[in-house]
Amino acid sequence: MKEIYLDEVPFKEQLFPFALIRHVADIRVGILTIREKWEKLLGTAVSTFKSDGQQAVPANLLPSKTFFKSFNQRQNSSLIESDFESIRTINYPWDIFINNDWAIREDYKLLTSNRYTEPIPETVHVSCPSQIFIEAGAKVAHCNLNASTGPIYVGKNAEIMEGSLIRGPFALCEGSVVKMGSKIYGATTIGPFSIVGGEIKNSVVFGYSNKAHDGYLGDSVIGEWCNMGAGTSNSNLKNNAGEVRVWQQNSGLYQPAGQKCGVLLGDYSRCAINTSFNTGTVVGICSNVYGEGLTPKFIPSFTWGTKGLSVYEFQKAVSDIRNWKKLKARVLSEKEIELLKTIFDQP
């Protein structure tokens, strides 16, 4: 078995804002983070720091079983000789939702192989039950699960409340909740300990975040510890159906992101009720977004409001994050505060 480390250096800056407070390998795409995919395939912990004898693997590479078999069999060859037809890469933040359909399907196979699902309750209306997997402790009742368009994975102790309509591919990770009457299309991932409701399509929520009320979230990525106020919606398609251009922090330019892109909301950022996110909006970390009309296309980290883009005072930001973490029985560590202060002090 090869010893590898996941190298983020070539990709970290262009994955703003999602690589600001985490290693690229800890970005969630599909059901698992990139690091978790490798650890599941290798059967051991994976390093993100170089040491002697380890081979560098791009941290933005999403491996599959097929790729891993090819890669691992070539003990004395370079990474280039492996089967790259069976992987995907995330080079820009919008690649997270673009590749989520493929990634959910690959992770589903990885997680459910040679395992048995918990029984699907009789009150659940299902299509293609062979593509539905429910982990122990999950609560699923009086809802509609349609896996004919892709697999549906319900994680440990997660809950799908009554009246919800779920269309795969879909992943609900550990401890997360889909509220009553939600409408969720594939390919959507709800990361651990999150609460979601309303209408969601082709989006990834990393974890510990809330979009708990009505409103539309589409072709979007939401970081950890975010909260979206009731009635918040995003545009994901321009009125002229033209190419969406998205702010890239490292280049200082707007880059083409395809025909559809919603909101890319950085960790610890929140928005007020009825916020209307413009097409292809990028929000940095630790921002409090509110204001009338459509948001600006780019909202920097530690921003308070959208009109005039005032600075979110650092100690208040830390205090507010502590309050949000208490809601999910978590604490903000000194190490996390030091990292946030480093980012805050950057010009």
Side-chain angles (χ1 to χ4, degrees):
M1 189 72 66
K2 295 181 180 179
E3 291 191 16
I4 67 169
Y5 77 96
L6 301 178
D7 181 15
E8 70 169 350
V9 173
F11 323 103
K12 189 172 181 68
E13 288 191 2
Q14 63 197 42
L15 285 167
F16 175 92
F18 302 113
L20 266 179
I21 67 167
R22 67 174 54 76
H23 195 282
V24 169
D26 294 318
I27 288 175
R28 188 175 303 277
V29 192
I31 305 172
L32 304 169
T33 67
I34 299 170
R35 184 199 300 263
E36 289 170 343
K37 298 176 199 294
W38 279 106
E39 290 180 343
K40 194 75 176 174
L41 289 164
L42 286 164
T44 186
V46 175
S47 174
T48 53
F49 299 96
K50 183 178 181 180
S51 63
D52 292 342
Q54 290 184 327
Q55 179 176 356
V57 172
N60 71 331
L61 185 153
L62 312 182
S64 66
K65 274 189 171 182
T66 303
F67 170 82
F68 180 73
K69 182 178 179 181
S70 167
F71 171 66
N72 201 46
Q73 284 176 343
R74 293 180 166 88
Q75 294 288 340
N76 299 313
S77 67
S78 69
L79 184 66
I80 295 173
E81 294 174 291
S82 298
D83 178 13
F84 274 85
E85 294 298 316
S86 57
I87 58 100
R88 298 290 188 276
T89 57
I90 53 166
N91 298 302
Y92 300 100
W94 50 88
D95 289 332
I96 296 170
F97 68 75
I98 287 174
N99 289 302
N100 203 46
D101 186 304
W102 178 90
I104 290 176
R105 295 173 193 271
E106 291 296 325
D107 287 351
Y108 184 89
K109 291 184 287 185
L110 192 61
L111 287 169
T112 65
S113 178
N114 299 318
R115 297 179 63 217
Y116 292 99
T117 178
E118 292 293 302
I120 300 173
E122 293 182 358
T123 62
V124 178
H125 184 274
V126 299
S127 299
C128 200
S130 64
Q131 288 295 293
I132 297 172
F133 194 95
I134 301 174
E135 297 281 6
K139 299 177 183 178
V140 183
H142 301 284
C143 57
N144 189 308
L145 303 181
N146 178 8
S148 64
T149 52
I152 293 175
Y153 175 86
V154 183
K156 179 182 176 182
N157 298 327
E159 181 176 8
I160 301 178
M161 292 184 177
E162 55 269 28
S164 295
L165 305 174
I166 310 292
R167 185 180 179 91
F170 172 72
L172 184 68
C173 296
E174 179 180 358
S176 287
V177 176
V178 175
K179 295 183 73 177
M180 291 191 299
S182 300
K183 298 180 291 184
I184 303 182
Y185 302 81
T188 292
T189 295
I190 308 302
F193 304 102
S194 297
I195 302 173
V196 297
E199 183 179 4
I200 305 174
K201 171 249 180 185
N202 193 35
S203 296
V204 178
V205 177
F206 282 3
Y208 300 94
S209 290
N210 304 323
K211 184 236 174 268
H213 304 288
D214 285 342
Y216 177 70
L217 181 71
D219 301 288
S220 296
V221 183
I222 308 300
E224 291 188 344
W225 300 105
C226 296
N227 189 73
M228 308 186 82
T232 293
S233 290
N234 73 266
S235 167
N236 63 340
L237 179 68
K238 294 176 68 174
N239 283 343
N240 62 6
E243 183 178 66
V244 180
R245 300 182 70 82
V246 177
W247 176 259
Q248 267 283 286
Q249 179 76 350
N250 62 318
S251 67
L253 301 171
Y254 284 89
Q255 302 283 350
Q259 192 175 34
K260 288 189 176 183
C261 184
V263 59
L264 306 171
L265 186 66
D267 303 88
Y268 300 119
S269 287
R270 301 175 295 280
C271 66
I273 60 170
N274 296 321
T275 299
S276 297
F277 282 108
N278 213 331
T279 318
T281 295
V282 176
V283 182
I285 67 167
C286 300
S287 289
N288 186 31
V289 180
Y290 65 89
E292 60 189 27
L294 288 172
T295 62
K297 294 267 289 183
F298 173 57
I299 300 172
S301 297
F302 294 96
T303 291
W304 184 269
T306 58
K307 305 300 181 183
L309 299 177
S310 301
V311 175
Y312 200 154
E313 194 270 325
F314 183 75
Q315 291 303 324
K316 178 168 175 52
V318 169
S319 176
D320 291 346
I321 291 169
R322 283 200 177 104
N323 291 338
W324 281 102
K325 286 206 167 191
K326 284 179 184 177
L327 292 175
K328 296 182 187 284
R330 298 295 191 274
V331 296
L332 182 65
S333 70
E334 289 302 318
K335 185 176 180 180
E336 289 174 310
I337 294 172
E338 290 174 7
L339 175 58
L340 292 174
K341 188 63 165 65
T342 299
I343 297 169
F344 181 84
D345 289 338
Q346 290 175 352

